[in-house]
């Protein structure tokens, strides 16, 4: 397991162009969402009475907000904007995946060229895989949503609500995680022109190692995130802002590392190495 993690790390270092593109992509999304939240939330906070206000003022603020949201069309523009951003992200994600996965399998090409060529050759198939993954990920909501609604309606407190929803949410998390890993391997197979059955067989044979690699890198990412978050809370200031932005780059590096380690495992188990 550590062998594939180590090889995946060195493979990640050989992918400077995809890492940079993904970092800039995430950075731009962060700015867009920040500006969107700033334009919506800050005007509301200016009207919030705060701790110094009376309780009746807080209730009046909440009642006014509920009336504006439910009885007027003021939220429609925001909802449409969020829908457009969601569609844009769903369009960009498979394209970036196509470039990254092709780049991992074709290191003999120039870094930038292989990324762009991967998008040009595989954007259709990767879009279909992304659509199938999204549909399968959302499929359990058809059965779980009524149970979540029942728990919300019958819970006597937020604690009871959390306990009532925990099994369903836990199942969704595990199920989504397994679907994600399965489609990572299907994308590897698409680049290597392997059949779906052969790719699924490779994934099943690699399942214990696949899960182990994912969990270890996920734990490393979580520890790094916790360290950065703790630093920003304890030492807030300009340099912590610089550290946080640098962390976004390392966060991208970790995500590419997770895929590269799985790629090394797939190539070995599928007989390509």
């Amino acid at each position: 397991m550590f062998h594939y993690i180590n090889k995946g790390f060195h493979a990640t270092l050989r992918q400077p162009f995809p890492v940079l593109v993904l970092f800039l992509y995430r950075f731009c999304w962060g700015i867009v969402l920040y500006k969107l939240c700033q334009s919506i939330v800050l005007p509301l906070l200016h009207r919030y009475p705060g701790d110094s206000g009376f309780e009746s003022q807080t209730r009046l603020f909440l009642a006014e907000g509920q009336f504006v949201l439910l009885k007027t069309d003021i939220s429609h523009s925001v909802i449409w904007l969020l829908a457009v951003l969601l569609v844009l992200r769903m369009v960009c994600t498979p394209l970036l995946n196509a470039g990254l996965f092709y780049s991992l399998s074709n290191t003999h090409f120039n870094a930038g060229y292989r990324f762009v060529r991967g998008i040009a050759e595989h954007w259709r198939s990767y879009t279909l895989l992304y659509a199938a993954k999204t549909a399968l990920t959302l499929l359990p909501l058809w059965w779980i949503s009524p149970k979540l609604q029942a728990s919300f309606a019958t819970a006597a407190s937020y604690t009871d609500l959390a306990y009532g929803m925990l099994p369903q949410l836990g199942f969704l998390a595990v199920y989504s995680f397994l679907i994600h890993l399965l489609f990572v391997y299907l994308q590897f197979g698409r680049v290597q022109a392997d059949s779906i059955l052969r790719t699924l067989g490779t994934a099943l044979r690699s399942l214990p190692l696949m899960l182990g690699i994912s969990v270890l890198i996920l734990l490393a990412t979580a520890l790094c995130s916790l360290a950065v978050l703790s630093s920003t809370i304890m030492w807030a200031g300009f340099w912590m802002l610089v550290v946080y932005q640098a962390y976004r780059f390392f966060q991208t590096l970790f995500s590419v590392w997770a895929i590269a380690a799985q790629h090394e495992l797939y190539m070995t188990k599928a007989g390509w190495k």
Side-chain angles (χ1 to χ4, degrees):
M1 182 189 309
F2 292 99
H3 168 73
Y4 297 111
I5 292 176
N6 183 53
K7 292 189 69 174
F9 178 74
H10 287 92
T12 302
L13 297 180
R14 296 192 295 270
Q15 304 296 327
F17 188 82
V19 170
L20 180 60
V21 170
L22 291 173
F23 165 69
L24 293 176
Y25 172 74
R26 292 183 172 186
F27 183 76
C28 291
W29 269 109
I31 292 177
V32 169
L33 294 178
Y34 172 76
K35 290 296 184 182
L36 180 62
C37 292
Q38 186 183 45
S39 64
I40 297 172
V41 175
L42 281 183
L44 294 176
L45 291 179
H46 288 312
R47 293 175 54 82
Y48 186 69
D51 296 334
S52 60
F54 295 105
E55 184 179 352
S56 58
Q57 292 177 318
T58 303
R59 289 199 300 267
L60 179 62
F61 171 81
L62 295 175
E64 180 187 8
Q66 182 179 8
F67 176 82
V68 170
L69 287 175
L70 298 179
K71 301 300 183 179
T72 68
D73 60 352
I74 192 172
S75 62
H76 292 182
S77 60
V78 177
I79 293 174
W80 277 109
L81 178 58
L82 290 174
V84 170
L85 291 176
L86 178 62
V87 171
L88 182 62
R89 188 174 180 88
M90 294 180 70
V91 169
C92 292
T93 298
L95 302 184
L96 295 173
N97 286 342
L100 174 61
F101 282 66
Y102 187 88
S103 182
L104 287 170
S105 297
N106 295 274
T107 54
H108 52 283
F109 292 132
N110 175 269
Y113 170 77
R114 63 181 184 248
F115 185 84
V116 175
R117 180 172 176 176
I119 295 175
E121 290 189 4
H122 297 288
W123 70 270
R124 294 182 183 84
S125 58
Y126 271 60
T127 301
L128 291 175
L129 286 172
Y130 183 76
K133 174 190 171 183
T134 303
L136 287 176
T137 302
L138 297 177
L139 185 62
L141 293 177
W142 180 266
W143 295 278
I144 293 178
S145 292
K147 296 181 180 179
L148 294 178
Q149 292 176 359
S151 298
F152 185 80
T154 58
S157 64
Y158 288 112
T159 303
D160 294 338
L161 178 63
Y163 280 119
M165 297 173 63
L166 192 60
Q168 290 87 356
L169 295 178
F171 168 78
L172 279 178
V174 174
Y175 172 80
S176 301
F177 181 66
L178 292 176
I179 289 294
H180 169 73
L181 287 180
L182 174 63
F183 274 85
V184 166
Y185 274 63
L186 288 175
Q187 289 173 94
F188 291 150
R190 182 66 189 90
V191 171
Q192 297 299 134
D194 284 342
S195 66
I196 294 179
L197 291 178
R198 186 170 187 266
T199 303
L200 291 177
T202 303
L204 291 176
R205 291 195 306 271
S206 310
L207 187 60
L209 287 173
M210 182 198 311
L211 293 175
I213 290 171
S214 298
V215 170
L216 285 177
I217 297 182
L218 187 62
L219 287 175
T221 306
L223 290 175
C224 186
S225 302
L226 183 61
V228 173
L229 180 61
S230 301
S231 301
T232 56
I233 293 175
M234 295 176 61
W235 297 294
F238 172 76
W239 288 110
M240 280 302 101
L241 179 63
V242 174
V243 169
Y244 181 75
Q245 295 303 326
Y247 164 70
R248 296 176 69 89
F249 174 79
F250 287 103
Q251 192 178 35
T252 303
L253 199 68
F254 271 102
S255 63
V256 176
W257 182 14
I259 296 174
Q262 297 290 353
H263 180 258
E264 294 294 330
L265 175 62
Y266 173 82
M267 296 295 284
T268 302
K269 295 297 182 180
W272 290 102
K273 284 189 175 182

